[in-house]
Amino acid sequence: MRQSSTKATFGSHVRPLLRSQFQPRYGRSFCCKQAVQMSAAATAGADASTGQQQQLPKSYKQVVAKGVAHSFREAAKISEVTSHQPGPDEAVIKVAFAGVNGGCETFRARGEFAFAGNKDKHDFALGAEGSGIVVACGENVKNVKEGQAVTFVGGAFSEYSTVSAAGCWPVREASPEAACLAISGLTAIGALEGTGQMKKGQTVLITAAAGATGHIGAQLAVLAGCTTIATCGGPKKVAALKKLGVQHIIDYKSEDVGEALTRICPDGLDIVYEGVGGDLRKTILPFLKPDGCMLCVGTVEHGKQRVYGSVWPKDRELLQKLKERLFDLYYSGKLEAWVDPAKFHGVESVTDAMDFMLSGQALGKVVISF
């Protein structure tokens, strides 16, 4: 792909536009390599698209990294990319919405952990999952077609993205909620129902329960008939989780987590879905039953030690079935996909969206529209 860089036009003038009441966008309405592998089993027989076939532009804007840097904002720049036809197994997606993942994108921009290979690269694409409309397909592509709405993985911080068609998943609509479910939702259901084998009657703790993957995990635990405990920060997040039917909510900003767990679950925890780390994880560990399961999202650091959490089931067929179940729950109205009401639009807003996500203010998934 030929790229010619333009001067970055990120700016602090792009700010989130918040609704008067900070509430999630309710609706019936992984890492990334695993999502692509699993989606390869999707077939064109999935729900039909409401999208229209479109022409490829001569060029489009994309957020790339100049090279690795200390922060996402420092690494990112906007480039003008020349359009090209997809390869035999590729699809070109007109991006409608892109999901924002704080840790994943920070590590990608820094060239850390799973993205260590980026240290020797320049102008590599940023962004992971999104939803959009297929505008072109390679000759070997059978699972999606032009004009179809899909979720996809790869280079989502862009107006168009050329991806492996195997990683595209047909959906009813290219919506922000679909972008939320694509990785954040799949991580939750893969961890809890796949790897963790969550069962009715168990005691389950979800940390960061008002976040992008946490709020999905909390709902799955409630639906499974578990005693569900959630941690979050602030009364607005507490109120939102109560509406989901979570039985026990611990506001770590106003109460001691250890004391609350002693009171709520004196017999211990069967499963912990943990995405915070640090002191919170240290507080929780003593409450895990001897045969309990802690599902750590992302990389765990303990002093100089690092533990790479792998919450995804190894069985690809199982993961495909879990994704189908996830979207079925959403389409049937049994599961909500929260999209934070902060508004970000276009490639120029990507760095501000990242900063907002990392601030800890978000309720649900931070999403950028294009």
Side-chain angles (χ1 to χ4, degrees), residues 157-338:
F157 294 160
S158 180
E159 294 171 337
Y160 289 79
S161 184
T162 300
V163 298
S164 168
C168 295
W169 185 273
V171 292
R172 295 182 184 180
E173 180 185 7
S175 66
E177 289 82 8
C180 170
L181 294 172
I183 287 183
S184 295
L186 184 58
T187 301
I189 198 168
L192 290 167
E193 296 190 4
T195 303
Q197 296 290 295
M198 183 171 61
K199 298 178 180 64
K200 182 178 181 179
Q202 290 182 318
T203 301
V204 178
L205 172 64
I206 311 291
T207 65
T213 190
H215 82 280
I216 301 293
Q219 291 177 85
L220 292 171
V222 171
L223 288 169
C226 298
T227 297
T228 307
I229 308 168
T231 67
C232 66
K236 292 179 181 178
K237 294 183 179 181
V238 170
L241 289 168
K242 284 182 178 178
K243 292 180 180 179
L244 296 182
V246 177
Q247 297 101 319
H248 305 283
I249 305 168
I250 305 170
D251 182 352
Y252 69 84
K253 291 185 176 181
S254 63
E255 50 187 323
D256 184 276
V257 174
E259 292 179 0
L261 289 174
T262 300
R263 182 183 70 253
I264 297 167
C265 56
D267 295 329
L269 297 162
D270 294 293
I271 296 177
V272 178
Y273 185 48
E274 213 295 289
V276 177
D279 290 339
L280 180 60
R281 184 171 289 150
K282 293 177 185 178
T283 298
I284 293 167
L285 269 172
F287 293 91
L288 190 65
K289 291 181 179 180
D291 60 348
C293 173
M294 177 173 279
L295 301 159
C296 297
V297 181
T299 302
V300 182
E301 295 190 9
H302 183 261
K304 294 184 178 180
Q305 297 175 325
R306 292 172 180 171
V307 179
Y308 295 85
S310 180
V311 300
W312 290 66
K314 295 180 180 180
D315 186 335
R316 299 295 102 191
E317 291 186 8
L318 171 61
L319 199 54
Q320 180 193 342
K321 291 177 181 178
L322 289 172
K323 187 163 189 176
E324 291 172 352
R325 169 171 155 74
L326 178 73
F327 275 87
D328 286 345
L329 287 171
Y330 170 69
Y331 289 135
S332 67
K334 296 178 181 178
L335 183 83
E336 295 180 359
W338 292 356

Side-chain angles (χ1 to χ4, degrees), residues 28-105:
R28 286 190 170 196
S29 1
F30 80 55
C31 194
C32 306
K33 289 183 180 178
Q34 291 167 305
V36 171
Q37 292 169 353
M38 184 278 302
S39 295
T43 64
D47 296 305
S49 163
T50 56
Q52 299 296 320
Q53 294 188 18
Q54 302 181 41
Q55 295 292 325
L56 276 173
K58 292 182 178 179
S59 64
Y60 56 90
K61 293 179 180 178
Q62 179 183 43
V63 179
V64 302
K66 299 184 288 284
V68 296
H70 179 70
S71 68
F72 182 92
R73 181 177 285 275
E74 184 182 346
K77 71 174 183 179
I78 298 173
S79 286
E80 192 78 19
V81 179
T82 301
S83 296
H84 65 282
Q85 292 299 315
D89 301 305
E90 294 179 330
V92 180
I93 313 298
K94 186 179 189 302
V95 182
F97 298 95
V100 179
N101 303 289
C104 177
E105 289 306 319

